Structure formats: structure tokens, C-alpha cells
């Protein structure tokens, strides 16, 4: 027998079995909106009455006062931001060195070449050469503060306020200030030189090592310029803790300098800046080079390049020493060529690279260990062609590569060169007031970025125990590595 099925209870208001043809629907009471409407109407009426009887608009005087209050607040915010920017500037103290290390070097250089006394210090004209950054930085810190627009460092006259200490010794000029002297005197002995760079370097360190601020942090917060590869060579191990301003690392050991703690500077260009139009119509020569064919060490690549290039069509490659006439000829050549060769010299870099940049002549860099200035803001792959040495000295490789570059691509290179060439101008430190400015401003910006690392090294040195010091772990070796070793071809 089947179990009795279970039935669900019918839903409310469902039809009963007795009346299957008619469904009953419940009727809900209709809600009245009369009372809420009356309440809202009354509230609105009383609000309108109050506004009409009692509210008065603000007077013009009140509006003016409000505007003044807003303006004062805005001005305060602006001043606060201005003060914050001033406080954000790195404070640098420039040592007032004895005169022999600054203007005295200029006088000695002039005297060694038969020149005369140069007059008042402020009227000195620094000799023009490729390592003149030391003069431009010195002059910049001597300018009034209001002329140093948006500078990353601000000069302070109280050393207690300083984050960094600048040592303005003209080290590169000192190196070349020694006069040419005869081999022997009448009695057969060598004459005493009128000027000695070695003695000047030693005297500088004797003076500096007596300064309390040098002793305080073992020189970590000091900045030295040694742009010539041999500048400060005699005392480099005594200043290597500091920030070194160099053009390359060609003569510096790995435990003396590095990209991490030091700053790469551009050479001063010796070729006049190109003022003509962008394009290839007036640049008939494919590639130009003029300079010493025979160099030492890494510069031996030059002789090999001469051998593979001197008979190539549309390539001008000449041997020539520094002279006024050579510079004029080089200027004409760079201004009328599409590419300018930049091989390594005795060291990886030279002023010729920067001559090419201001000439809008696309640099062809054949220097495997070169380091370049301001690479955090300049993408050199957009303004130069990099070719490794082995590729460059293989006959036919280099000219084939360059001849394959279209006119459109050359114009792209030129436009990028025009954008960045202000970074390599020393004469105008503010870069005509546009943006990042010229070379001097860029150098100080790079220097200011080293402050964090300097504080790390100072604090690290303070907590070191004597045994670590004896093992030499308190020098810069832990942060030094001065060669990238990159060899690339870029187009």
C-alpha cells in the first residue's frame, strides 16, 4: 500500500477547494502622503521667511577681507615652499685657500710662458684649455647668491653649517704650469724650476690636514677637482675618500675612484658652437677626425683607425696637434661633417667628444672603457654611435655602418644633440635660465646627490673597530669600481 502523500500548506490567500474558479486577493490599505507633505511645506515656508527677514549678504569690505586672508594664506604657503626649497639645497663651504693655490697658480702659469703680472685677482683671465672646469666652479661659488638660479648647492660662509667642503685648488693648471727648462746649467746640474706642481700638491695637503673640518670626518665630505688625468697624482691616495671631480678614470686605481662616489665632468669644448640649421645638406663629409695619431696605452687604437680610414672616400682623418689654426680647421671640419670620430686617447675620454656635440656632429665613440657625464639626464644612445674597438678597426666595418644610416636618422640625432648641448656649456652656468642649465649647474647637482652616501660612509667609519681599520676596511675600496667594461654598438 503506497504511503500517504504529504501536502504542503497552501500559501496565504490561495483559492479554497470549494471555490476552484475564483481566486481571493488581499487588499492593502493605501498609504497617505498628506502629513509629510504638510510638514515639509511648513519647514520650507519658515526657512524662506527667515531668509527674507534676517539674512544679509556679505558686504564688499567683508569680501575684500576674505580675499586678503586667502592671499595671505597663499603667500605663507609659497614662502614656506620657498624656505623648504632653500633648506633642501646642499650647503657647501668653499675653503679660503692661501692665494698660491688659486690665483697664484694662474700667475705661475703666465710667468712660465713669459707673461706678465695679471693685476687684481678679480680681473684675472683664466687660460683657456680643456680642463677649465676648476675655474668655472670657483667663479660660480664666488657669484652673488641671487645670480645662482635654482642651484643645487648653496654656498655658506660658516663651516659649521656645511654639508660639503670644496677645495678650490687649480690642480689641472698647476700640472701644466711648470716652465719648459733647459736640460743642464753651466755647472752640469739641473736648474731649480720656477714652479713645482709636486711641491704645491704637498703644501696643499699640509695646509688641509691641519684644518679641523678635514680631521673631523677623515675627508669624506670634501670635494676636489682633478680634471686632468694626472692632476693631484702625488696626493691622490690622501684625498681618495673625498668626492673627486674627474673627466675619466684612465689614471685612477679601482680603490681610488668610482662612479658611485665621484662625478664625471665634461671637458671644456674648444670648438665654437654650431649656429646653423639642422640637416644634411651642408654636411658633405661622412666622418671627420683631427688629432694626434700616436698616443700611449689605450690610445694605440688611433693608429689602427688611421690605417683603415685614411683612404676611405668621404672620410677626413688628419694628424694634428693643438694650435689656434688646428682648432679653426677642426671647427670647419666638424661643422660640415655628419659624423665625428672619437677614439680613446691616452685615457678613455677627450675634449673632442664635446667639440662634436656642440657642433651637432654625431660622435662615433670608439673607446671601450669610457664613462660619460650626466648620464642620469642624458641618453647617449640618442646622440652618439658606440662601436667596440675590434669592430671599428676591422677594414670596411665602420664606414659601412655609417653609410647605412639614413638622412632621417641623422636629423633625429642632430635634434637630440641640439636639446642636450647646453649641458656642456661652461660659459653660461644658468643655461640661459631654461630648465637644468649648463655644465656648472649639472656638476653641482651631481655633487649634491653624493651627500647621502657621504653620511653613510662617515657613520660607518665611526662605528668601526680598530682591527677593521688596520685591515684597511675604512677606505673607499668597498664602493669603488671604475670600469663598466661595456662594448656596444648603438644606432
Amino acid at each position: 500500500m503506497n504511503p500517504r502523500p504529504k501536502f504542503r500548506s497552501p500559501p496565504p490567500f490561495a483559492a479554497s477547494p470549494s471555490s476552484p474558479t475564483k481566486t481571493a486577493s488581499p487588499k492593502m490599505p493605501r498609504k497617505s502622503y498628506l502629513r509629510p507633505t504638510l510638514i515639509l511645506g511648513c519647514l520650507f515656508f519658515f526657512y524662506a521667511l527667515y531668509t527674507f527677514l534676517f539674512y544679509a549678504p556679505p558686504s564688499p569690505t567683508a569680501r575684500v577681507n576674505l580675499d586678503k586672508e586667502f592671499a595671505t594664506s597663499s603667500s605663507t604657503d609659497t614662502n614656506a615652499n620657498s624656505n623648504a626649497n632653500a633648506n633642501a639645497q646642499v650647503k657647501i663651504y668653499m675653503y679660503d685657500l692661501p692665494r698660491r693655490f688659486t690665483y697664484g697658480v694662474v700667475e705661475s702659469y703666465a710667468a712660465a710662458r713669459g707673461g706678465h703680472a695679471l693685476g687684481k685677482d678679480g680681473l684675472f683671465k683664466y687660460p683657456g684649455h680643456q680642463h677649465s672646469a676648476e675655474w668655472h666652479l670657483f667663479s660660480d661659488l664666488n657669484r652673488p647668491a641671487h645670480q645662482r638660479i635654482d642651484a643645487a648647492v648653496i654656498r655658506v660662509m660658516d663651516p659649521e653649517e656645511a654639508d660639503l667642503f670644496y677645495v678650490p685648488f687649480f690642480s689641472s693648471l698647476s700640472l701644466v704650469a711648470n716652465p719648459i727648462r733647459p736640460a743642464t746649467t753651466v755647472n752640469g746640474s739641473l736648474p731649480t724650476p720656477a714652479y713645482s706642481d709636486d711641491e704645491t700638491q704637498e703644501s696643499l695637503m699640509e695646509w688641509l690636514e691641519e684644518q679641523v673640518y678635514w680631521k673631523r670626518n677623515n675627508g669624506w665630505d670634501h670635494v676636489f677637482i682633478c680634471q686632468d688625468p694626472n692632476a693631484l697624482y702625488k696626493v691622490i691616495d690622501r684625498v681618495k675618500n673625498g668626492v673627486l671631480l674627474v673627466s675619466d678614470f684612465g689614471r685612477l686605481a679601482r680603490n681610488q675612484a668610482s662612479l658611485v662616489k665621484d662625478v664625471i665632468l665634461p671637458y671644456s669644448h674648444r670648438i665654437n658652437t654650431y649656429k646653423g640649421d639642422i640637416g644634411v645638406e651642408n654636411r658633405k663629409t661622412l666622418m671627420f677626425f683631427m688629432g694626434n695619431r700616436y698616443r700611449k696605452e689605450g690610445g694605440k687604437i688611433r693608429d689602427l683607425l688611421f690605417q683603415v680610414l685614411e683612404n676611405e672616400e668621404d672620410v677626413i682623418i688628419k694628424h694634428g696637434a693643438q694650435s689656434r689654426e688646428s682648432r679653426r680647421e677642426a671647427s670647419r671640419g666638424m661643422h660640415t661633417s655628419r659624423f665625428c670620430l672619437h677614439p680613446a686617447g691616452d685615457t678613455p675620454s677627450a675634449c673632442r667628444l664635446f667639440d662634436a656635440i656642440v657642433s651637432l656632429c654625431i660622435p662615433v665613440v670608439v673607446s671601450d672603457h669610457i664613462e660619460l657625464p650626466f648620464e642620469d639626464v642624458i641618453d647617449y644612445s640618442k646622440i652618439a654611435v658606440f662601436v667596440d674597438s675590434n669592430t671599428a678597426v676591422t677594414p670596411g666595418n665602420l664606414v659601412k655602418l655609417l653609410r647605412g644610416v639614413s638622412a632621417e636618422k641623422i636629423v633625429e640625432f642632430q635634434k637630440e644633440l641640439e636639446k642636450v648641448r647646453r649641458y656642456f656649456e661652461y660659459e653660461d652656468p644658468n643655461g640661459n635660465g631654461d630648465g637644468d642649465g649648463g655644465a656648472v649647474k649639472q656638476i653641482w647637482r651631481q655633487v649634491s646627490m653624493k651627500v647621502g652616501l657621504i653620511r653613510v660612509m662617515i657613520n660607518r667609519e665611526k662605528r668601526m673597530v680598530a682591527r677593521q681599520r688596520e685591515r684597511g676596511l675604512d677606505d673607499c675600496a668597498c664602493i669603488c669600481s671604475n670600469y663598466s667594461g661595456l662594448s656596444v654598438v648603438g644606432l
Side-chain angles (χ1 to χ4, degrees):
M1 196 174 165
N2 293 330
R4 187 175 180 179
K6 297 181 180 179
F7 295 97
R8 296 180 182 273
S9 300
F13 312 118
S16 65
S18 59
S19 53
T21 60
K22 190 174 183 180
T23 302
S25 298
K27 291 186 178 181
M28 298 292 293
R30 180 173 295 179
K31 186 174 181 180
S32 173
Y33 293 97
L34 179 60
R35 180 175 293 179
T37 301
L38 290 174
I39 293 173
L40 288 174
C42 291
L43 290 174
F44 180 77
F45 171 77
F46 285 117
Y47 174 76
L49 182 63
Y50 169 80
T51 302
F52 178 76
L53 295 177
F54 301 104
Y55 177 73
S59 66
T61 304
R63 178 69 256 176
V64 170
N65 291 337
L66 184 61
D67 290 341
K68 286 183 177 179
E69 182 179 348
F70 178 77
T72 302
S73 175
S74 299
S75 176
T76 302
D77 291 343
T78 301
N79 291 336
N81 291 334
S82 177
N83 291 334
N85 290 335
N87 292 332
Q89 286 179 304
V90 169
K91 298 177 177 64
I92 192 166
Y93 176 80
M94 182 166 68
Y95 279 111
D96 184 15
L97 292 180
R99 186 179 181 278
R100 62 174 296 193
F101 300 116
T102 53
Y103 295 113
V105 178
V106 183
E107 276 188 336
S108 296
Y109 178 90
R113 282 149 181 77
H116 304 287
L118 300 178
K120 294 182 179 180
D121 289 352
L123 302 178
F124 269 23
K125 182 173 177 58
Y126 186 85
H129 66 97
Q130 63 182 352
H131 305 302
S132 61
E134 59 193 15
W135 172 257
H136 292 290
L137 295 179
F138 176 72
S139 300
D140 181 61
L141 288 182
N142 277 314
R143 291 194 301 152
H146 69 273
Q147 293 181 10
R148 303 183 67 250
I149 303 169
D150 296 329
V153 300
I154 182 172
R155 183 182 178 185
V156 294
M157 308 309 291
D158 182 356
E160 286 295 329
E161 299 177 5
D163 302 302
L164 296 172
F165 296 81
Y166 183 58
V167 183
F169 172 45
F170 296 162
S171 59
S172 294
L173 189 64
S174 177
L175 185 69
V176 296
N178 290 294
I180 299 172
R181 51 193 175 176
T184 60
T185 58
V186 176
N187 60 9
S189 62
L190 289 174
T192 302
Y195 180 86
S196 171
D197 177 48
D198 287 5
E199 291 179 4
T200 305
Q201 291 182 49
E202 289 286 356
S203 297
L204 173 73
M205 292 310 300
E206 289 174 7
W207 182 88
L208 186 61
E209 287 168 350
E210 291 299 316
Q211 305 305 308
V212 62
Y213 298 102
W214 171 264
K215 297 177 184 178
R216 184 174 65 180
N217 290 319
N218 200 20
W220 284 109
D221 49 6
H222 282 56
V223 181
F224 299 86
I225 183 166
C226 41
Q227 193 176 20
D228 188 287
N230 289 318
L232 292 182
Y233 78 97
K234 192 172 183 62
V235 298
I236 195 68
D237 278 323
R238 293 156 72 179
V239 302
K240 66 182 181 180
N241 282 357
V243 178
L244 305 181
L245 309 183
V246 300
S247 288
D248 61 45
F249 299 126
R251 300 284 169 82
L252 296 169
R254 293 178 183 272
N255 69 338
Q256 294 171 338
S258 78
L259 284 175
V260 178
K261 76 175 190 69
D262 303 317
V263 175
I264 301 292
L265 309 188
Y267 286 102
S268 298
H269 63 84
R270 306 306 310 282
I271 298 302
N272 293 331
T273 301
Y274 177 70
K275 302 295 185 182
D277 295 330
I278 286 174
V280 297
E281 293 78 10
N282 297 324
R283 295 181 180 266
K284 304 301 182 183
T285 303
L286 177 68
M287 184 167 63
F288 177 85
F289 173 82
M290 185 174 182
N292 267 321
R293 175 171 183 165
Y294 305 104
R295 309 300 291 179
K296 298 174 288 184
E297 301 167 15
K300 293 179 180 178
I301 191 72
R302 287 194 184 184
D303 186 41
L304 296 175
L305 287 168
F306 266 82
Q307 293 176 35
V308 300
L309 293 172
E310 58 189 349
N311 294 320
E312 288 285 351
E313 186 180 357
D314 295 334
V315 173
I316 298 175
I317 183 165
K318 293 183 178 181
H319 172 77
Q322 283 286 342
S323 70
R324 186 170 297 178
E325 178 54 36
S326 292
R327 285 198 297 274
R328 281 197 290 265
E329 188 174 353
S331 181
R332 288 192 296 268
M334 287 188 168
H335 290 183
T336 57
S337 300
R338 301 180 183 188
F339 297 94
C340 286
L341 183 64
H342 175 72
D346 290 343
T347 57
S349 186
C351 69
R352 195 166 289 98
L353 170 64
F354 309 102
D355 289 339
I357 289 173
V358 300
S359 299
L360 302 189
C361 184
I362 304 164
V364 179
V365 180
V366 184
S367 181
D368 295 341
H369 300 299
I370 195 169
E371 297 295 352
L372 298 167
F374 318 143
E375 282 206 79
D376 60 330
V377 294
I378 298 175
D379 181 354
Y380 281 88
S381 68
K382 294 182 178 180
I383 65 170
V385 178
F386 294 85
V387 185
D388 68 90
S389 298
N390 290 335
T391 299
V393 299
T394 302
N397 274 6
L398 196 52
V399 290
K400 181 180 179 181
L401 177 70
L402 299 181
R403 284 175 181 148
V405 182
S406 67
E408 292 77 13
K409 183 66 176 178
I410 290 172
V411 170
E412 285 182 24
F413 273 115
Q414 291 175 347
K415 288 179 178 178
E416 292 296 326
L417 284 165
E418 189 175 47
K419 289 179 185 177
V420 303
R421 66 179 173 183
R422 70 178 186 275
Y423 293 139
F424 307 103
E425 298 287 358
Y426 278 99
E427 298 295 336
D428 183 8
N430 291 322
N432 296 320
D434 61 342
D436 297 327
V440 169
K441 185 177 288 187
Q442 285 296 318
I443 292 168
W444 288 133
R445 183 183 63 80
Q446 293 271 327
V447 169
S448 72
M449 293 166 62
K450 306 297 181 181
V451 171
L453 174 66
I454 290 168
R455 288 171 181 159
V456 168
M457 300 310 294
I458 289 172
N459 291 334
R460 175 178 176 273
E461 189 174 74
K462 287 177 182 178
R463 54 87 173 166
M464 280 190 154
V465 298
R467 184 172 178 80
Q468 289 173 309
R469 295 179 190 278
E470 291 170 3
R471 291 168 56 198
L473 298 181
D474 60 338
D475 63 16
C476 73
C478 63
I479 55 171
C480 288
S481 177
N482 63 7
Y483 287 127
S484 66
L486 296 178
S487 296
V488 295
V489 178
L491 279 182

